[in-house]
Amino acid sequence: MREPWPATPEDLAEAQRRLAALTPEPWHPPEGRWSAAGCFVCFARGTSGPGAAGDRGWAAAALVQDDAVIVGPVMRGVAGFPYLPGLLALREGPLLEAAVLALPARPDVLLVNATGRDHPRGAGLALHLGARLDLPSIGVTQRPLLASGPPPAEHAGATSPLWIGAEIVAYWVRPHRFLRPLVAHAAWRTSADVAAAVLLALGRGRRTPEPLRAARQAARAARAQPAR
């Protein structure tokens, strides 16, 4: 039986500090073909503020393997906590974990709509989820959380490092010259360089990498269905 997720902000902060201090074996994409999964959770529309405990949620994961996209079953549940900066795992962690575990096969790497090393305690949800699932993981967000650095050049495939102090914790990545860049975050067993390379490899001409895009689409489609 799996260990439960931290249940309080204090417990989560302690778990984040512990995870950030670990030095697991680094992961790199293997030679030849490799698989990637993405996971995404969305919550009911119409709630006020950034989110409250008890909000209905829908989480999905998708696997890209041998050019096929396989979407797993959508997990339904409720947010255990309101949105709290730096403590996203309290709100989203259990639903996302359930969605990834429902996939028909285990991926080589997991993409999460959250930060990794770019975090007040060095272990955002992308890193935490990867550690719990024993999967190399990468965070993908619209903007950095704490890290800073100049935007990338305008050409497709351009990257630019994002720093916290002397450490590169993420990269701006521009998958297409006409698209705004995303942030690729170092997370569990991945460096910022590997995160950027994986993001570009999975772009398929779109801004959002394919497994994360498919998971987001499935979660939002389930949310749009009439309540049963």
Side-chain angles (χ1 to χ4, degrees), residues 32-87:
R33 291 180 178 271
W34 45 274
S35 62
C39 58
F40 185 88
V41 62
C42 59
F43 293 95
R45 291 191 176 100
T47 56
S48 59
D55 287 344
R56 289 181 299 139
W58 295 260
L63 176 70
V64 174
Q65 188 174 43
D66 296 329
D67 296 325
V69 181
I70 304 163
V71 180
V74 175
M75 299 290 112
R76 293 167 172 80
V78 296
F81 265 78
Y83 169 76
L84 299 171
L87 298 170

Side-chain angles (χ1 to χ4, degrees), residues 20-163:
L22 298 177
T23 55
E25 181 182 359
W27 176 85
H28 296 85
E31 294 292 332
R33 291 180 178 271
W34 45 274
S35 62
C39 58
F40 185 88
V41 62
C42 59
F43 293 95
R45 291 191 176 100
T47 56
S48 59
D55 287 344
R56 289 181 299 139
W58 295 260
L63 176 70
V64 174
Q65 188 174 43
D66 296 329
D67 296 325
V69 181
I70 304 163
V71 180
V74 175
M75 299 290 112
R76 293 167 172 80
V78 296
F81 265 78
Y83 169 76
L84 299 171
L87 298 170
L88 192 61
L90 292 172
R91 180 170 175 81
E92 300 185 2
L95 271 172
L96 289 174
E97 182 178 62
V100 177
L101 289 173
L103 286 170
R106 184 176 173 86
D108 290 306
V109 64
L110 176 67
L111 277 62
V112 187
N113 181 38
T115 69
R117 296 287 180 186
D118 177 17
H119 183 271
R121 288 168 293 280
L125 176 54
L127 188 151
H128 197 158
L129 184 59
R132 280 186 62 92
L133 295 169
D134 192 24
L135 280 174
S137 61
I138 290 167
V140 183
T141 63
Q142 306 281 338
R143 60 188 65 84
L145 182 59
L146 299 177
S148 60
E154 294 294 330
H155 63 83
T159 64
S160 181
L162 288 157
W163 304 76

Side-chain angles (χ1 to χ4, degrees), residues 193-207:
D193 294 273
V194 165
V198 168
L199 210 66
L200 288 171
L202 296 172
R204 296 191 177 183
R206 293 187 171 99
R207 183 170 183 250

